[in-house]
Amino acid sequence: MAYTVKQLADLAGVSVRTLHYYDEIGLLMPDAYGENGYRYYDEDALLRLQQILFFRELDFRLDEIKAIIDRPDFDVLRALQTHRVTLEEKAARLTGLMQTVDKTILRLKGELGMSDKELFEGFDEEKQKQYAEEARRRYGSAEVDDSMKRWGNYSSAQKQQIVAEGEQIRRDLAASMGKGYDNPAVQQIVARWHQHLRYFYEPSVERLRGLGQLYVDDPDFRANYAKLDPKLPEFFRDAITFYCTDKT
Amino acid sequence: MAYTVKQLADLAGVSVRTLHYYDEIGLLMPDAYGENGYRYYDEDALLRLQQILFFRELDFRLDEIKAIIDRPDFDVLRALQTHRVTLEEKAARLTGLMQTVDKTILRLKGELGMSDKELFEGFDEEKQKQYAEEARRRYGSAEVDDSMKRWGNYSSAQKQQIVAEGEQIRRDLAASMGKGYDNPAVQQIVARWHQHLRYFYEPSVERLRGLGQLYVDDPDFRANYAKLDPKLPEFFRDAITFYCTDKT
DNA sequence: TATAAACTATGACGCCGCGTCAATGTCAAG
DNA sequence: CTTGACATTGACGCGGCGTCATAGTTTATA
């Protein structure tokens, strides 16, 4: 199914002018030009445009984006995973700014001694750029970044967010408990759960085809994850019950 | 204490060129020029620059920023509070993008049916701009926005974040338990706690001079907040114990 | 006290990522 | 067969600085 410029523009929430420009600089070329000169985009363009938007969101310049996603070894899946971490970095930065807001409010009320320097805490994008620098090297390359996936490597803000995500998934699953394990909505949640687990436990996530299996099999995992989220045992108990009663 | 350009630039994490430019367009003028032509900034410039950076962070244009903070009725405190909400909006948007990342990963793995439209969910800044539009009108005006401060008005992403903040404060307090209530660090945490409570319970926050008092007095509040954060009763118990043992 | 290093100033040009016209051609519906 | 929505290319311009260049001033060190 081919999209015209406006169709794609509306779908992706960008302007027609932007698509023209991306074509002009060779960043996103249409699948084909009609004999009238019209641009027609195919499915591949969707994913490519999505990548472009993600990178743009993370403050990459368009020529950088082009260089990255044109590399023959560019790996979309890996890129997406890196996007996620980088988005979390960005969110954590915003959290830092919120704290600066709070502290400034208290300073203005005279309730808090606050150094001049602290007034500007969180604005700096140094870490951000540092990360991007790494990312520029890493995107697309087959180089593995397992080190980032160890719990100890996350910042506390990231940890909070990750735990919150876990809780959300748990709530969602709880809300879908009645629907039966083979219900597509439930399957989606389970998939999100598998995805989520990658934060903690990479190597044998593939073993997680059966929900909770790892929790049952691996006392080490059980202990570690339970430390992060005290309600997790409950969750697993429920989930396993859920899984078993439905499967048998 | 007067800052030179570089001193201020380093402190705030902006470039000297930026300060020159802000002077040029009248956005941030130095307190005084030396006879050598040097710029010297005073304390007021710090807060003004901080405001500028906050607005810039929220994608306001410099001329808009100038118009806003030059208004005679510009209210820094109110602006800061609005900043906070807007920052949360931004963070929530990033959360949405993370979900799009997750879903795209699953789509690529074939584990999830996902419409083309969903590929671009979260990129749109419409809400963002809509909010900014409101903000432009509201910043500096004395108009009250209490409606935003009711729990029901928060998005679920915001709620998550607010709860996470509460948990963080609780952890911080727990870590400071030994230091005595009059310890400045503890007072800071208490102040953050008071600030935090404004999310839920605006009118009588002033009554919260004694920590936990409201929890003791108001069963309605007790019930409502406990629903949000199951561990809160513990916290209050600890906090009250802490407060009482130290006060008596 | 000489000199180097670090800071300051004021111009002026250039860049990116489009927005925003303008002029013109094409397609689908009534 | 008109009308309106859509398509094209081309050109100009903007915001927010980065990045020189040129030149004066202050501070540290030898």
Side-chain angles (χ1 to χ4, degrees):
Chain A
M1 191 171 82
Y3 292 96
T4 66
V5 267
K6 185 166 190 344
Q7 282 165 1
L8 180 55
D10 287 348
L11 187 70
V14 302
S15 73
V16 170
R17 174 66 177 109
T18 298
L19 292 181
H20 282 171
Y21 183 62
Y22 288 176
D23 184 9
E24 184 183 331
I25 64 174
L27 181 56
L28 180 68
M29 320 269 294
D31 175 48
Y33 295 90
E35 30 188 287
N36 43 21
Y38 284 21
R39 294 168 176 83
Y40 295 106
Y41 297 87
D42 59 357
E43 291 282 337
D44 289 349
L46 294 186
L47 275 179
R48 188 172 168 109
L49 180 52
Q50 193 209 37
Q51 282 301 312
I52 293 170
L53 294 183
F54 272 125
F55 279 108
R56 196 180 65 168
E57 181 70 32
L58 300 173
D59 301 319
F60 284 68
R61 287 182 330 198
L62 298 188
D63 56 349
E64 289 177 332
I65 299 176
K66 181 166 155 53
I68 290 171
I69 66 184
D70 276 345
R71 280 169 57 167
D73 60 344
F74 176 68
D75 181 341
V76 188
L77 269 181
R78 184 168 302 278
L80 283 167
Q81 278 162 7
T82 316
H83 290 332
R84 195 169 202 291
V85 178
T86 318
L87 287 169
E88 280 166 20
E89 280 280 334
K90 267 201 121 175
R93 177 170 169 277
L94 292 182
T95 304
L97 283 174
M98 291 180 216
Q99 287 171 14
T100 300
V101 168
D102 286 349
K103 288 199 285 185
T104 306
I105 290 176
L106 295 173
R107 167 180 163 143
L108 290 180
K109 290 185 178 172
E111 297 178 21
L112 173 62
M114 183 188 185
S115 72
D116 288 348
K117 176 143 206 162
E118 286 178 279
L119 277 175
F120 301 100
E121 222 166 55
F123 284 111
D124 205 341
E125 301 182 17
E126 199 169 353
K127 282 190 308 178
Q128 209 82 8
K129 290 192 174 175
Q130 191 180 345
Y131 189 87
E133 204 63 39
E134 277 183 53
R136 264 173 268 269
R137 264 176 274 128
R138 196 171 41 210
Y139 277 116
S141 89
E143 176 189 341
V144 186
D145 53 355
D146 279 343
S147 64
M148 282 304 294
K149 300 216 169 130
R150 295 288 155 218
W151 183 249
N153 294 69
Y154 295 119
S155 75
S156 73
Q158 280 178 296
K159 288 180 185 177
Q160 269 185 250
Q161 216 154 17
I162 292 168
V163 169
E165 189 191 39
E167 289 173 351
Q168 182 60 53
I169 294 175
R170 208 176 55 220
R171 277 193 294 272
D172 289 351
L173 187 72
S176 305
M177 280 270 177
K179 296 183 181 173
Y181 185 77
D182 290 327
N183 180 288
V186 175
Q187 294 286 355
Q188 282 194 16
I189 297 171
V190 171
R192 276 167 61 204
W193 171 248
H194 287 165
Q195 186 64 29
H196 178 74
L197 282 177
R198 298 197 146 249
Y199 284 125
F200 314 101
Y201 203 86
E202 166 118 33
S204 47
V205 71
E206 300 310 331
R207 287 167 50 206
L208 271 175
R209 288 297 137 201
L211 183 68
Q213 191 172 330
L214 189 54
Y215 183 72
V216 173
D217 290 351
D218 187 341
D220 197 46
F221 176 83
R222 208 155 56 217
N224 278 332
Y225 202 116
K227 245 185 296 177
L228 306 176
D229 183 348
K231 272 172 286 179
L232 208 82
E234 292 177 38
F235 169 62
F236 271 118
R237 197 195 52 216
D238 292 349
I240 292 168
T241 307
F242 178 54
Y243 179 72
C244 294
T245 56
D246 210 85
K247 273 303 185 192
T248 53
Chain B
M1 191 170 81
Y3 292 95
T4 66
V5 266
K6 187 165 184 357
Q7 281 164 4
L8 180 56
D10 288 347
L11 186 70
V14 302
S15 74
V16 170
R17 173 71 177 107
T18 298
L19 293 180
H20 281 171
Y21 183 62
Y22 289 176
D23 185 8
E24 184 183 331
I25 64 174
L27 180 56
L28 180 68
M29 319 268 294
D31 173 48
Y33 295 90
E35 29 187 290
N36 44 21
Y38 284 22
R39 294 167 174 85
Y40 295 105
Y41 297 88
D42 59 358
E43 292 282 336
D44 289 350
L46 294 186
L47 276 178
R48 188 173 169 108
L49 180 53
Q50 194 208 34
Q51 283 301 312
I52 294 170
L53 294 183
F54 273 125
F55 279 106
R56 196 180 64 169
E57 182 71 32
L58 301 173
D59 301 318
F60 284 69
R61 286 182 332 199
L62 297 188
D63 56 350
E64 290 177 331
I65 299 176
K66 181 167 156 53
I68 289 172
I69 65 184
D70 277 344
R71 280 171 56 169
D73 60 343
F74 175 68
D75 182 341
V76 189
L77 269 180
R78 185 168 301 280
L80 283 167
Q81 278 162 9
T82 317
H83 290 332
R84 194 164 204 287
V85 178
T86 317
L87 286 170
E88 279 167 19
E89 279 281 335
K90 269 202 119 175
R93 177 168 168 278
L94 291 182
T95 305
L97 283 174
M98 292 182 218
Q99 287 171 14
T100 300
V101 168
D102 286 348
K103 288 197 288 185
T104 306
I105 289 176
L106 295 173
R107 168 180 162 144
L108 289 180
K109 289 186 178 173
E111 296 178 20
L112 174 64
M114 184 188 185
S115 72
D116 288 348
K117 177 144 206 160
E118 287 178 279
L119 277 175
F120 300 100
E121 222 167 51
F123 285 110
D124 206 341
E125 302 183 18
E126 199 169 352
K127 282 190 309 178
Q128 208 84 8
K129 290 192 174 176
Q130 192 180 345
Y131 189 86
E133 204 62 41
E134 278 183 52
R136 264 174 269 269
R137 264 177 273 128
R138 195 171 42 210
Y139 276 118
S141 91
E143 178 190 339
V144 186
D145 55 354
D146 279 344
S147 64
M148 282 305 292
K149 299 212 170 134
R150 296 285 153 221
W151 182 248
N153 294 68
Y154 295 119
S155 74
S156 73
Q158 283 177 295
K159 287 180 185 176
Q160 267 185 253
Q161 214 154 18
I162 292 168
V163 169
E165 190 191 39
E167 288 174 350
Q168 181 60 53
I169 294 175
R170 208 177 56 221
R171 275 193 295 273
D172 288 351
L173 188 71
S176 305
M177 280 271 174
K179 295 185 182 172
Y181 185 76
D182 290 327
N183 180 289
V186 174
Q187 294 285 354
Q188 283 195 15
I189 297 172
V190 171
R192 277 168 59 204
W193 171 248
H194 287 166
Q195 185 65 29
H196 178 73
L197 282 177
R198 298 196 147 249
Y199 284 125
F200 313 102
Y201 201 86
E202 167 118 32
S204 48
V205 71
E206 301 308 332
R207 287 167 51 206
L208 269 175
R209 289 294 138 201
L211 183 67
Q213 191 174 331
L214 189 58
Y215 183 73
V216 173
D217 292 350
D218 187 341
D220 197 45
F221 175 83
R222 207 156 54 219
N224 277 332
Y225 201 117
K227 244 186 296 177
L228 306 176
D229 182 349
K231 271 171 285 177
L232 208 81
E234 290 176 39
F235 169 62
F236 272 117
R237 198 195 52 218
D238 292 348
I240 292 168
T241 308
F242 180 51
Y243 178 71
C244 294
T245 55
D246 210 83
K247 273 300 184 195
T248 54

